Amino acid sequence: MTVQLYLRRSSGRSEMVSPAIVLAFVPLLVTLIIRYRYHFLLLYRAVLVRMVLDCTTGISREERAFQYLLTHSLPGDPDSILDTFDHWSSRVEYMSNIGPKKGKVLDRLITDNTPLTVLELGTHCGYSAVRIARGLPLGARLYSVEMDECNAAIAEKVIRLAGFDDDTVELIVSPSEEVIPQLRERFGIERLDFVFMDHWKRCYLRDLQLLEGSGLLGKGSIILADNIIFPGAPHFLRYVKSSGLYQHRIHQATLEYFRGIRDGMAELTFIGTK
């Protein structure tokens, strides 16, 4: 018996579509599934699982992560906080922290450059704030900016659980585009030695230019921007390469807690105008 498939047009007539045409798309579909299997897995873990757990537990993913930290980590021990967070994000419920592998680049830059004044854009739950703060020299201070009040509340608890007080890590709850122009007048900052960007990727270029305009970047100031390949910040990268204001280096990596998705970080050193 011949199999016949039909498409109905607006005129009311039906036209037969050969099964061979439909079957011709199967290899393409299979190829796409195989090629982007890690992206489908990320969608499942980061979105679908989160939605289900949000409904069944009645609390946010960030609050679930903090509860896990409370019961599985050692208070006052930053290393224990980070290790527990890494286990949660890789084995329990996915969360897009910088992670241990890319985190080593951040650790090295903090250790080698001993910055005294650090700005973080995008605190989220406080993972990277704890990672930065544990490597800072005595007397240094981290200003961490988070626009989401709920995430900031969790981050505050995580940072304090790790043992850092307000003198070491100051959490600023406000959009980055409002905070950056106020850093000099409101917080008395004359120069930023180190900036870590891990907020909305579409804001990277805007906020970099705001930092330039504020006069807070001095010769040798370092900016480290995460996720510049995935989800990606192409306009930011083009500007950095063409502006003549920075020496730049791309650290190739994979997405945090996902081996199959290519990612990277951009390390910039401000050299000023030529």
Side-chain angles (χ1 to χ4, degrees), residues 229-245:
I229 296 176
F230 183 88
H235 300 297
F236 170 82
L237 287 179
R238 281 198 293 269
Y239 173 78
V240 166
K241 294 175 181 179
S242 63
S243 67
L245 298 176

Side-chain angles (χ1 to χ4, degrees), residues 49-65 67 88 92-93:
V49 171
R50 177 181 181 177
M51 291 172 60
V52 171
L53 291 176
D54 283 353
C55 292
T56 56
T57 64
I59 59 175
S60 68
R61 176 187 60 180
E62 289 73 19
E63 185 65 45
R64 292 192 295 274
Q67 290 183 356
W88 159 269
V92 180
E93 189 176 347

Side-chain angles (χ1 to χ4, degrees), residues 2-221:
T2 303
V3 178
Q4 293 181 333
L5 301 178
Y6 293 90
L7 288 178
R8 183 170 297 277
R9 292 188 171 182
S10 58
S11 62
R13 295 180 302 168
S14 297
E15 293 187 359
M16 186 179 72
V17 178
S18 170
I21 296 177
V22 177
L23 291 174
F25 287 95
V26 172
L28 175 61
L29 180 60
V30 172
T31 300
L32 290 174
I33 291 174
I34 293 174
R35 181 175 180 179
Y36 295 104
R37 62 191 182 279
Y38 292 107
H39 296 78
F40 288 123
L41 181 58
L42 177 63
L43 175 66
Y44 169 74
R45 290 187 58 196
V47 179
L48 300 180
V49 171
R50 177 181 181 177
M51 291 172 60
V52 171
L53 291 176
D54 283 353
C55 292
T56 56
T57 64
I59 59 175
S60 68
R61 176 187 60 180
E62 289 73 19
E63 185 65 45
R64 292 192 295 274
F66 179 66
Q67 290 183 356
Y68 189 85
L69 289 176
L70 283 177
T71 56
H72 292 80
S73 63
L74 297 175
D77 185 341
D79 292 338
S80 176
I81 298 294
L82 294 174
D83 289 343
T84 304
F85 231 140
D86 287 331
H87 185 271
W88 159 269
S89 299
S90 61
R91 302 292 182 86
V92 180
E93 189 176 347
Y94 179 80
M95 184 176 288
S96 58
N97 306 310
I98 187 175
K101 293 184 179 180
K102 288 191 292 182
K104 290 180 180 179
V105 176
L106 177 60
D107 296 344
R108 177 181 56 79
L109 289 175
I110 294 294
T111 300
D112 291 350
N113 293 280
T114 59
L116 293 178
T117 306
V118 180
L119 175 67
E120 177 185 33
L121 300 177
T123 315
H124 195 199
C125 286
Y127 177 97
S128 51
V130 171
R131 191 155 201 125
I132 293 170
R134 70 171 182 171
L136 291 178
L138 187 65
R141 193 170 196 188
L142 166 63
Y143 298 86
S144 189
V145 180
E146 173 58 50
M147 67 177 294
D148 187 292
E149 293 183 2
C150 295
N151 288 347
I154 300 297
E156 181 85 27
K157 292 187 285 188
V158 170
I159 292 166
R160 306 313 170 209
L161 183 67
F164 299 110
D165 59 21
D166 194 54
D167 290 332
T168 303
V169 181
E170 180 167 351
L171 186 58
I172 305 170
V173 186
S174 192
S176 56
E177 70 270 23
E178 296 179 8
V179 174
I180 292 172
Q182 299 176 353
L183 287 174
R184 186 183 300 275
E185 181 178 351
R186 180 180 171 189
F187 298 96
I189 298 174
E190 295 298 324
R191 170 193 163 103
L192 291 169
D193 301 312
F194 191 95
V195 179
F196 179 55
M197 291 184 168
D198 195 15
H199 54 324
W200 291 105
K201 314 315 163 193
R202 65 174 181 269
C203 300
Y204 279 16
L205 176 56
R206 179 201 67 193
D207 288 350
L208 181 65
Q209 292 175 330
L210 282 174
L211 288 168
E212 294 169 1
S214 70
L216 294 172
L217 297 179
K219 189 171 184 179
S221 293

